[in-house]
């Protein structure tokens, strides 16, 4: 898979209808024309060959700067699969077992308490009956949460400690994890699924196991082998800040118009202009479409990069993209009914990815085993192993639940298959 988005194959050669692929671009472009999306870049690849690149709109609406192949995007939670892959590459070297308690390396989590009643100011807690294990971090069954959920008293405790859409200034991964460990869990580890800072803690575990900062681990185990030279924690000193897309937030629209509009979120967006103190395993990476496509294609190819370099064993990756929820149930059954970056019905969760278990229950034309994840600013990717298809999408609109982009991506790529 080339990193150069200008090198494309004839869609018909890989079983895609070029005219029908234009429907995808037109659907996405309507959101741009309505003022609900600043701009986008979408890629569709099949059998390891790039068949379609669609771009429209602006990376910076007010300055009239268009979306280009070298636009840099805040991929937020699309950092999580990278961290999971890096962790599992260590697993393949015998650095840990999936059922090992994380307190073996992060002792601050040995005495973490679990919320059972009360308020955020006066919580009633109990001791752990089951330690947080590495498997719990990878599957989001640890009991850790996010402050921005605003659905539980523990979420409020995160916000009070400075953890909502960021972390306390100057705190590194070691300090951030000490703070997480001091806040109660939402539930006993392994008893439920809840989207939270589990992958941030996993990133810190990776640092301890590897004996080096997370960005160096990524460079050594993922970015270097895959040739991902434009992906980093925030912009690097020699990067052109004009290439970084502006971050926007959705707000209520005007009467008679679309129900949402956009406003710039410059204070929040500015965090990506430089390398942060906290190298978060769950967010923080800035990337280009070409770079992340290399990562997604490595997943599709069973752990092998475009030049034949193996990042993960095929059996390891196959284990990661199967459903790990107990009893093979879906997220609606085992998860909490709150904001997440994937629908919950008909969807399972593995080691760093969600996957479609039942397309009919999911409610979107898709394949069983189609796996994916996305970011808070509405970026996403999915890999369809049945159709040997990889789709990636980039924009900068918070929150990711504003528009049903991910459902349309699946429906409109599947309808283009010959």
């Amino acid at each position: 898979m080339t990193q150069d988005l200008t090198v494309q194959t004839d869609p018909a050669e890989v079983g895609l209808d070029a005219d029908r692929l234009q429907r995808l671009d037109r659907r996405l472009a309507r959101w741009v024309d309505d003022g609900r999306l600043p701009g986008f870049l979408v890629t569709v690849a099949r059998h390891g060959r790039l068949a379609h690149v669609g771009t429209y709109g602006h990376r910076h609406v007010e300055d009239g700067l268009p979306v280009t192949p070298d636009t840099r995007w805040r991929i937020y939670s699309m950092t999580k699969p990278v961290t999971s892959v890096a962790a599992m590459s260590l697993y393949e070297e015998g650095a840990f077992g999936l059922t090992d308690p994380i307190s073996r390396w992060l002792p601050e989590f040995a005495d973490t308490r679990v919320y059972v009643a009360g308020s955020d100011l006066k919580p009633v807690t109990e001791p752990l009956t089951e330690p947080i294990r590495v498997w719990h971090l990878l599957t989001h069954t640890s009991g850790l949460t996010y402050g921005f959920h605003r659905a539980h008293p523990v979420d409020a405790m995160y916000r009070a400690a400075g953890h909502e859409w960021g972390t306390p200034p100057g705190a590194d991964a070691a300090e951030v994890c000490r703070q997480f460990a001091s806040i109660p869990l939402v539930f006993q580890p392994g008893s439920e699924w809840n989207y939270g800072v589990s992958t941030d803690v996993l990133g810190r575990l990776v640092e301890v196991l590897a004996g080096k900062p997370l960005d160096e681990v990524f460079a050594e185990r993922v970015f270097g082998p895959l040739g991902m030279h434009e992906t980093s924690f925030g912009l690097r000193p020699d990067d052109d800040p004009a290439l970084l897309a502006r971050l926007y937030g959705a707000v209520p629209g005007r009467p008679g118009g679309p129900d949402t509009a956009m406003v710039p979120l410059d204070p929040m967006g500015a965090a990506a202009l430089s390398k942060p103190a906290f190298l978060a395993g769950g967010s923080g990476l800035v990337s280009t479409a070409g770079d992340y496509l290399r990562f997604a294609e490595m997943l599709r190819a069973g752990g092998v990069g475009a030049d034949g370099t193996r990042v993960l064993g095929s059996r390891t990756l196959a284990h990661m993209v199967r459903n790990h929820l107990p009893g093979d149930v879906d997220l609606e059954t085992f998860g909490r009914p709150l904001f997440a970056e994937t629908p919950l019905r008909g969807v399972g969760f593995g080691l760093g990815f969600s996957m479609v278990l039942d397309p009919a229950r999911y409610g979107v034309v898709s394949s069983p085993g189609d796996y994916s994840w996305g970011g808070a600013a509405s970026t996403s990717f999915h890999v369809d192993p049945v159709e040997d298809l990889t789709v990636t999408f980039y924009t900068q609109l918070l929150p990711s639940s504003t528009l049903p982009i991910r459902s349309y991506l699946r429906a409109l790529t599947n309808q283009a298959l010959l």
Side-chain angles (χ1 to χ4, degrees), residues 4 39 59 94 234 247 272 328 339-340 358 372 379 387 393:
D4 184 353
R59 67 178 188 266
L247 183 63
D328 200 30
F339 166 84
D358 182 344
S372 63
T379 60
E387 298 294 346
F393 176 80

Side-chain angles (χ1 to χ4, degrees), residues 87-301:
M88 293 304 289
S89 74
L90 287 163
Y91 168 81
E92 291 187 323
E93 296 174 4
F96 63 88
L98 290 173
T99 59
D100 287 345
I102 66 170
S103 58
R104 181 176 300 176
W105 302 279
L106 304 177
E108 60 268 32
F109 285 97
D111 299 317
T112 297
R113 306 279 295 182
V114 180
Y115 173 95
V116 291
S119 69
D120 57 305
L121 298 178
K122 292 185 176 181
V124 178
T125 64
E126 66 181 10
L128 291 168
T129 58
E130 162 81 359
I132 301 175
R133 304 181 187 276
V134 181
W135 177 82
H136 295 138
L137 297 180
L138 283 156
T139 57
H140 288 281
T141 57
S142 64
L144 294 160
T145 189
Y146 268 130
F148 60 71
H149 284 325
R150 296 180 177 268
H152 191 279
V154 173
D155 304 344
M157 297 171 72
Y158 273 61
R159 295 194 301 274
H163 300 277
E164 185 170 8
W165 288 103
T167 52
D172 63 7
E175 174 57 26
V176 166
C177 283
R178 282 193 289 269
Q179 293 176 16
F180 289 155
S182 71
I183 302 173
L185 302 177
V186 176
F187 48 75
Q188 290 287 349
S191 63
E192 297 183 50
W193 185 91
N194 185 61
Y195 190 45
V197 299
S198 291
T199 318
D200 291 321
V201 177
L202 181 67
R204 175 56 185 160
L205 178 62
V206 166
E207 289 187 333
V208 173
L209 291 169
K212 59 188 68 175
L214 193 58
D215 57 344
E216 294 182 21
V217 179
F218 283 177
E220 178 182 293
R221 294 176 175 270
V222 183
F223 300 158
L226 295 180
M228 296 172 63
H229 305 306
E230 297 169 341
T231 306
S232 56
F233 279 103
L235 295 183
R236 293 164 294 203
D238 58 346
D239 289 328
D240 182 358
L243 291 175
L244 180 65
R246 194 175 200 182
L247 183 63
Y248 293 86
V251 295
R254 295 173 180 171
D259 56 2
T260 59
M262 303 178 303
V263 294
L265 299 178
D266 291 340
M268 183 176 178
L273 290 172
S274 60
K275 181 178 174 179
F278 174 37
L279 304 182
S283 63
L285 287 179
V286 172
S287 190
T288 60
D291 254 25
Y292 206 86
L293 184 58
R294 283 177 175 260
F295 179 75
E297 277 293 310
M298 176 274 294
L299 300 175
R300 180 201 62 81

Side-chain angles (χ1 to χ4, degrees), residues 27-28 30-32 34-38 250 258-260 262 378 393 395 397-408:
R27 167 64 270 188
L28 296 168
R30 286 206 297 273
W31 281 321
V32 177
D34 287 344
R36 304 173 74 183
L37 202 63
D259 56 2
T260 59
M262 303 178 303
S378 302
F393 176 80
T395 190
L397 179 69
L398 278 164
S400 61
S401 56
T402 304
L403 298 168
I405 293 169
R406 295 163 193 174
S407 296
Y408 278 98

